[in-house]
Amino acid sequence: MPLQTARMRVWMLMLMRIAGGLALVLSTATPVVWGADDPSGIVAVVNADPITRQTLASEATTRYGADVLDAMINRHLIFQACKQKGITITEAQVREEIMRMAGKFGLSMDAYLKLLQDERHIAPQEYSREIIWPLLALRELVASDVQVTDEEFNHAFVAQFGEAVKCRMIMVPSETTANSLREQAIRQPDQFANLAKEYSVDEASASVGGLIPPIRRNNGDTKLEDAVFALADDQISPVIQLGDQWIVLQAVRRLPAHSPQPQAMPAIREQIIDKIRDEKMRVASTELFAKLQQEAQVVKVLGDEALSKQYPGVAAIVNGQQVSMAALGNECIERHGEEVLTGEINRKVLTQALRAAKQEVTDADLQAEIARAAISYGYVTGDGKPDTETWMASMLSDGTTTRELYMRDAVWPSVALSKLVEGQVTVMEEDLRTEFEAKYGPRVEVLAVVLGDQRTAQKVWDMARNNPTDEFFGQLSEQYSIEPVSASNRGKVPPIRKNSGQAAIEREAFLLKPGELSGIIASADSYIILRCQGFTEPVVSDASAVREELSNYIHEKKLRLAMSKKFDELKESSEIDNFLVAAKREATVARAAAQQAPLSK
């Protein structure tokens, strides 16, 4: 599947380009959204406390409304253009195109859609309406303007079957270096392959003496093609700039034009014409969509307080047609409803728990949490106080998260959970001792070999015992270790500390003396052999000097673990009914069954 996956990624990029970057454009079909006809309907119930569809639409619109509205505007532009020309894209056409795309990779439609979902995280319905529909719609809109001429066919035919020159290449980042290598190659043409191996930065060709695929006419870089076709066998080209690199070529031999069998020509002709047409349609589609956007009269009401009062219930006006807030809410739910609803369910669970514990989250609590986060990540002012403004700026730097959303979605849940576990976290003396040993105690410097099976481990251990030197042990690690760090560093690995979570390795390592060999240590699914090189000196000898730092660190770590455990307990003990997810799952199954029915005839 790796080759199919790679080819699919390339095709997905091409499809996005053909659609003019319209990854968010929707089809004219109404999205299947559970309860869309009932804004007051219930989408989830948490311990008998309902979450309404209206609440979900509002929350989803707050987070994703601007992006989704742009997509809906794009839909309207394409739909209006199709309507003016009497063009309709049917579900059958969309399905047929998906099957055609699947066939290009030798896959069934189901396998193709599954691969898309697994590799690109694109659901089948999303793929149909957001990529394939705009692709087909734009193709239809420009089809009458796209014709393939005989000249274009002949040009492409030569590029595929015409005369070619087999070459070697040296690629370097410096023009001066390229000129120097060219002079050497001219003096000794038979050394070109060795020069390529030694100096070329293009690893793929350097490894085979500079050989590159044959160069044909009409494949893009006219300057390069002219230079190559002007060469006789073994002749060296001038230095040619290629992007930010400089190349020198040596002609190996001419390859004559290839003439396909007459019976194959109709299929070849169709293939070449389809490829030319697709490329011309891609360009024409991009230009058409840009023109539609440029000429459109669009009024974005969403987010504009004055316009919202003037046009209540309207999200945007596209060429005189209104996009309602209700439609936008439905679209936001269709795209992001599951994710947003999960957040609302979690918020309700926490709110109920706070109420039961007679706790509340105040604004002061929220500000204190921001200050704590700023300090923990090193955002402090010159006088050691938390630099909350710089911290907040870094949290909002993606340009999509607002301060209000960050406070609601990140800060508030953290404060709520910390209040629910208040008094449950205690830093014990044993905690301080253990953490002090881990952070500041002595460490064992070792060489290591990591093996994948016990038989090989026994063989390596016997060899290490019979030749007890660091040098030989390093050679064994380089040859046998399956762990990259030890293999590449001749056995050298970071010193082993106490309380790192690898008890068996720690216990064996700290029993060793310099020069001693450990036994075979079984760890997970591997076998480890250590050779002790000595012990490091403790970084800090006085535990009291770092007591406060350690205490704060341990408290924070234990607090986060307690919060996570508490949240899991709350979710497990809550009675939650998510009707949105259940209904969408049923709709997906029903849609798949309906799509498969015609295929069985």
Side-chain angles (χ1 to χ4, degrees):
M1 194 64 73
L3 178 58
Q4 291 172 326
T5 299
R7 292 171 61 201
M8 280 189 60
R9 286 180 178 145
V10 173
W11 259 101
M12 286 300 299
L13 290 173
M14 290 178 64
L15 285 174
M16 297 296 242
R17 291 175 64 201
I18 291 170
L22 308 180
L24 296 177
V25 178
L26 303 180
S27 72
T28 56
T30 302
V32 179
V33 185
W34 182 79
D37 57 343
D38 183 10
S40 62
I42 296 171
V43 291
V45 177
V46 182
N47 296 322
D49 193 359
I51 299 174
T52 66
R53 181 178 182 79
Q54 187 173 6
T55 297
L56 178 59
S58 175
E59 294 295 337
T61 301
T62 297
R63 289 161 176 77
Y64 300 105
D67 287 340
V68 173
L69 181 58
D70 286 341
M72 296 181 74
I73 290 171
N74 290 341
R75 177 190 72 178
H76 277 274
L77 293 177
I78 293 181
F79 176 65
Q80 289 169 356
C82 287
K83 189 175 181 180
Q84 288 175 1
K85 289 194 173 186
I87 294 172
T88 300
I89 304 299
T90 67
E91 290 184 12
Q93 287 175 286
V94 170
R95 189 172 177 222
E96 183 181 341
E97 179 65 15
I98 294 175
M99 292 177 67
R100 189 180 74 84
M101 292 299 303
K104 286 181 176 290
F105 303 101
L107 299 173
S108 68
M109 186 172 74
D110 287 344
Y112 176 66
L113 291 174
K114 184 178 186 303
L115 190 59
L116 278 173
Q117 184 142 22
D118 293 344
E119 294 289 333
R120 305 286 298 180
H121 307 294
I122 299 175
Q125 187 181 357
E126 179 186 358
Y127 180 64
S128 297
R129 73 172 190 262
E130 297 183 13
I131 295 177
I132 297 301
W133 183 86
L135 170 67
L136 295 177
L138 287 168
R139 274 183 184 173
E140 288 291 324
L141 285 167
V142 300
S144 61
D145 300 325
V146 173
Q147 301 295 328
V148 179
T149 67
D150 288 341
E151 182 181 355
E152 289 169 333
F153 171 79
N154 293 333
H155 190 273
F157 185 86
V158 170
Q160 188 169 343
F161 297 102
E163 184 184 17
V165 181
K166 189 172 182 63
C167 296
R168 296 184 187 273
M169 177 185 74
I170 298 173
M171 176 182 288
V172 291
S174 164
E175 183 180 12
T176 301
T177 304
N179 280 312
S180 174
L181 291 170
R182 178 177 182 268
E183 290 175 5
Q184 294 181 55
I186 290 174
R187 289 195 299 268
Q188 294 180 295
D190 58 337
Q191 291 300 306
F192 193 98
N194 291 331
L195 291 172
K197 289 179 183 178
E198 185 173 357
Y199 296 102
S200 183
V201 298
D202 182 62
E203 295 178 358
S205 60
S207 63
V208 288
L211 284 174
I212 58 175
I215 297 174
R216 286 185 167 86
R217 291 282 190 184
N218 307 332
N219 275 290
D221 194 325
T222 305
K223 182 179 178 182
L224 175 64
E225 293 167 7
D226 289 343
V228 167
F229 277 88
L231 298 176
D233 289 358
D234 294 330
Q235 191 174 359
I236 310 300
S237 76
V239 171
I240 303 169
Q241 186 173 9
L242 195 65
D244 59 353
Q245 302 289 324
W246 300 84
I247 65 171
V248 179
L249 299 165
Q250 180 186 43
V252 177
R253 67 178 181 275
R254 289 289 177 105
L255 302 176
H258 172 61
S259 298
Q261 294 295 324
Q263 59 268 29
M265 275 303 299
I268 291 172
R269 183 177 183 84
E270 183 179 356
Q271 179 189 53
I272 291 175
I273 288 176
D274 283 347
K275 183 177 180 181
I276 297 171
R277 184 184 292 113
D278 282 347
E279 175 60 20
K280 293 183 74 172
M281 281 187 171
R282 182 193 67 78
V283 174
S285 298
T286 302
E287 292 174 351
L288 172 63
F289 186 70
K291 182 180 179 183
L292 292 175
Q293 288 183 310
Q294 185 177 6
E295 295 178 350
Q297 295 180 344
V298 178
V299 179
K300 288 188 180 180
V301 180
L302 182 72
D304 189 310
E305 187 175 348
L307 287 175
S308 295
K309 291 179 179 178
Q310 184 178 353
Y311 301 103
V314 176
I317 303 171
V318 185
N319 293 330
Q321 292 187 355
Q322 293 184 350
V323 179
S324 69
M325 287 296 297
L328 176 60
N330 285 340
E331 199 63 61
C332 287
I333 290 175
E334 171 65 12
R335 292 168 178 272
H336 306 287
E338 292 184 35
E339 169 196 344
V340 176
L341 184 55
T342 297
E344 290 306 298
I345 289 171
N346 293 343
R347 171 176 282 274
K348 196 163 283 288
V349 167
L350 291 176
T351 301
Q352 292 170 351
L354 285 171
R355 189 184 304 122
K358 297 182 179 180
Q359 295 267 24
E360 66 175 5
V361 175
T362 66
D363 185 63
D365 294 328
L366 296 174
Q367 298 306 318
E369 172 64 13
I370 293 173
R372 183 206 63 77
I375 290 175
S376 67
Y377 284 92
Y379 286 80
V380 293
T381 60
D383 55 1
K385 294 181 179 179
D387 187 355
T388 56
E389 287 306 311
T390 303
W391 164 252
M392 287 297 295
S394 70
M395 292 295 98
L396 309 180
S397 60
D398 62 2
T400 60
T401 304
T402 65
R403 187 183 186 95
E404 291 73 20
L405 282 179
Y406 174 69
M407 297 291 285
R408 180 178 175 82
D409 292 348
V411 182
W412 187 90
S414 179
V415 174
L417 277 168
S418 65
K419 279 187 168 291
L420 290 171
V421 298
E422 276 181 348
Q424 299 179 22
V425 175
T426 305
V427 177
M428 311 294 290
E429 286 298 324
E430 178 63 17
D431 297 329
L432 290 167
R433 184 194 66 77
T434 299
E435 196 62 40
F436 179 77
E437 283 186 341
K439 280 185 173 292
Y440 302 108
R443 305 187 181 195
V444 188
E445 293 186 310
V446 298
L447 300 177
V449 184
V450 182
L451 294 314
D453 62 87
Q454 190 169 13
R455 183 177 179 179
T456 306
Q458 186 64 55
K459 181 178 78 170
V460 171
W461 187 86
D462 287 338
M463 289 190 289
R465 181 182 62 174
N466 293 331
N467 191 345
T469 66
D470 287 353
E471 177 64 24
F472 184 69
F473 193 93
Q475 292 175 12
L476 291 175
S477 183
E478 188 175 45
Q479 182 177 355
Y480 291 99
S481 186
I482 62 173
E483 190 274 320
V485 174
S486 55
S488 61
N489 293 324
R490 297 176 66 83
K492 192 66 178 177
V493 294
I496 297 172
R497 61 184 176 89
K498 288 186 176 180
N499 309 315
S500 66
Q502 297 177 305
I505 297 175
E506 293 171 26
R507 183 168 52 251
E508 187 81 15
F510 276 89
L511 289 174
L512 296 174
K513 295 178 182 178
E516 284 188 343
L517 187 69
S518 75
I520 299 173
I521 308 166
S523 178
D525 56 351
S526 60
Y527 299 87
I528 302 169
I529 304 169
L530 304 177
R531 177 176 170 81
C532 180
Q533 292 187 302
F535 291 78
T536 65
E537 289 294 326
V539 178
V540 177
S541 57
D542 183 5
S544 63
V546 292
R547 184 182 179 87
E548 183 178 357
E549 173 193 330
L550 290 176
S551 181
N552 291 338
Y553 174 79
I554 295 167
H555 183 272
E556 181 69 17
K557 184 167 67 172
K558 295 182 78 171
L559 177 64
R560 296 298 153 186
L561 289 172
M563 289 164 61
S564 179
K565 182 180 178 182
K566 181 66 175 179
F567 184 66
D568 289 341
E569 291 173 353
L570 289 173
K571 290 293 289 288
E572 288 174 6
S573 63
S574 295
E575 186 175 341
I576 300 171
D577 293 306
N578 190 326
F579 302 125
L580 182 71
V581 170
K584 290 186 76 172
R585 188 181 299 117
E586 291 175 6
T588 299
V589 172
R591 188 185 305 111
Q595 288 179 344
Q596 288 297 327
L599 292 179
S600 62
K601 294 181 180 180

